[in-house]
Amino acid sequence: MTVFNSEPCELKVSRDLNGGIAIAEMIGRANYMALVGGGEQPKFSQNKVVIWDDAKQKVAFTLEFRTLVHRVRLSRSRIVVVLRHSVNIYTFSSPPEKLSSFKTADNPLGLCCLGPQLLAFPGRTAGQVQLVELARGNVSIIPAHSSPLRALELSSDGEYLATASDTGTLIRVYSTINYACIAELRRGIDAAVIFDLAISPSSRYIAVTSDKSTLHVFDLPRSIQERASRSSTPDTQRGVAKGGSSGGSRTDENGSQKWGILGKLPMMPRMFSDTYSFASAPFEICTDEQQASKGARKGTTSSTPTGIPDGNPSKGVIGWTSDKSLVVIGAGREGRWERFVITEAPTTGHRVCVRDGWRKYLGGG
């Protein structure tokens, strides 16, 4: 087990636990973390959550379940354990006290977002999201998509909920205050597997990665309004932004109207009027096909709950390090750390997303 700084990419902690770990969840830089065993020789049972005290180098306490654990979320007051068909909430105490349990639709990805005041996870029907107020226990249902969910993300202030389905063409953004859909963002026209969604610290941008090996960055509605209010041009005051470009694709200053005048013609398909990313950049997808096929032959892939149904290492995991920079992480033997920055193109002044550095943080091989 290893722990790295996200920026710069530096190894901080390395522990030889003499066994495999499938899930490791931290609470910021605190000494406690949640571990679930995995791999060919699991260190711990895969139906058990181990709260590890790294300062004392020992197990603080454990939670055991009848089925495999698919994900764990932690805060300083709560432990959230995601099973394939339920989400269970406990106090972060020794011994832990069970507070509540919620049934969900089939959730092989272990989708769950824990914020300071809200908890979001799949509903009982595919495509729905349950939002739970942690203080009062009130539950609200958002019918986000007609197909199963692929990704969920809560903003750090808890005001936005972003969702994507297994179709992978649209990202929907909801207000957690009135549960209204306030934005539909189009990643692309072709179906794709969404790897991750991440909202920037001030909720200005949202970033998306997929198996198309492209990182997309969108404005969030609050950011769009702020940019419009700062402009003194009549067109922008009416909500029509000036033309720009990103990666050779036509886009306005808010990342919408990619298709220009076609988006304003009546009876045109909605993809011509949808909001597209204002910037995009390629990132590296390092495949571990040989490793995955080896595991499948040995029958180990299906028994390793890594949050991905086929058992392959996670790819395209996004972390914002500031409102202008983010990192994209890929796991596996060829895992990479890539840093991207949002800046302005020197010749046009349009916003672009460019790769600013990378490294194989596990050494390659």
Side-chain angles (χ1 to χ4, degrees), residues 41-101:
Q41 297 180 330
K43 171 62 177 178
F44 307 111
S45 172
Q46 294 169 297
N47 66 335
K48 181 184 294 185
V49 176
V50 174
I51 303 301
W52 177 264
D53 185 342
D54 198 61
K56 297 180 179 179
Q57 293 285 292
K58 68 176 186 178
V59 175
F61 56 89
T62 63
L63 288 164
E64 192 165 350
F65 301 87
R66 294 182 178 179
T67 59
L68 298 182
V69 176
H70 284 258
R71 196 176 297 270
V72 184
R73 295 299 192 195
L74 297 179
S75 71
R76 294 186 181 275
S77 61
R78 288 176 174 81
I79 304 170
V80 180
V81 181
V82 184
L83 308 180
R84 185 144 185 166
H85 297 97
S86 68
V87 171
N88 305 274
I89 307 174
Y90 296 83
T91 59
F92 200 119
S93 59
S94 182
E97 176 189 349
K98 189 172 186 178
L99 298 176
S100 53
S101 181

Side-chain angles (χ1 to χ4, degrees), residues 86-341:
S86 68
V87 171
N88 305 274
I89 307 174
Y90 296 83
T91 59
F92 200 119
S93 59
S94 182
E97 176 189 349
K98 189 172 186 178
L99 298 176
S100 53
S101 181
F102 300 90
K103 293 188 179 299
T104 69
D106 188 30
N107 187 17
L109 295 170
L111 297 179
C112 182
C113 295
L114 176 61
Q117 299 176 331
L118 294 172
L119 179 68
F121 51 88
R124 295 191 179 192
T125 301
Q128 291 185 348
V129 179
Q130 295 187 68
L131 267 180
V132 178
E133 294 181 35
L134 295 173
R136 300 180 179 181
N138 296 335
V139 181
S140 301
I141 304 297
I142 297 177
H145 299 270
S146 58
S147 55
L149 297 169
R150 178 73 196 189
L152 286 175
E153 169 75 350
L154 278 171
S155 60
S156 59
D157 58 13
E159 292 186 9
Y160 289 119
L161 170 72
T163 67
S165 74
D166 60 7
T167 304
T169 54
L170 286 176
I171 312 301
R172 292 196 169 106
V173 182
Y174 293 86
S175 165
T176 60
I177 298 173
N178 58 13
Y179 313 116
C181 181
I182 57 177
E184 286 192 345
L185 311 173
R186 181 166 288 277
R187 179 211 56 80
I189 300 172
D190 298 330
V193 176
I194 299 296
F195 287 157
D196 200 14
L197 303 175
I199 297 173
S200 65
S202 68
S203 301
R204 184 176 182 181
Y205 305 123
I206 181 170
V208 181
T209 55
S210 73
D211 65 348
K212 300 295 186 181
S213 195
T214 304
L215 166 68
H216 292 274
V217 184
F218 300 82
D219 280 314
L220 281 178
R222 176 191 300 164
S223 171
I224 293 174
Q225 294 168 6
E226 289 175 352
R227 291 179 64 82
S229 66
R230 286 197 300 266
S231 175
S232 59
T233 62
D235 281 347
T236 308
Q237 289 172 354
R238 292 196 299 267
V240 181
K242 295 181 178 180
S245 64
S246 173
S249 299
R250 186 71 175 174
T251 171
D252 73 11
E253 192 63 18
N254 290 332
S256 60
Q257 299 298 321
K258 175 180 179 179
W259 302 100
I261 190 64
L262 291 177
K264 301 177 183 179
L265 296 178
M267 306 303 290
M268 292 294 288
R270 61 170 291 178
M271 67 180 184
F272 288 101
S273 59
D274 280 341
T275 300
Y276 287 76
S277 58
F278 69 79
S280 62
F283 70 94
E284 190 71 25
I285 298 182
C286 301
T287 60
D288 293 277
E289 295 178 357
Q290 184 176 0
Q291 182 180 353
S293 62
K294 178 181 177 182
R297 289 196 300 272
K298 291 186 177 182
T300 60
T301 301
S302 61
S303 63
T304 305
T306 60
I308 295 185
D310 59 12
N312 289 329
S314 299
K315 306 294 182 184
V317 179
I318 306 169
W320 287 91
T321 56
S322 74
D323 268 329
K324 292 291 187 178
S325 63
L326 64 162
V327 296
V328 178
I329 308 295
R333 297 184 184 277
E334 295 292 322
R336 291 197 182 199
W337 170 94
E338 297 178 85
R339 182 179 187 269
F340 297 85
V341 295

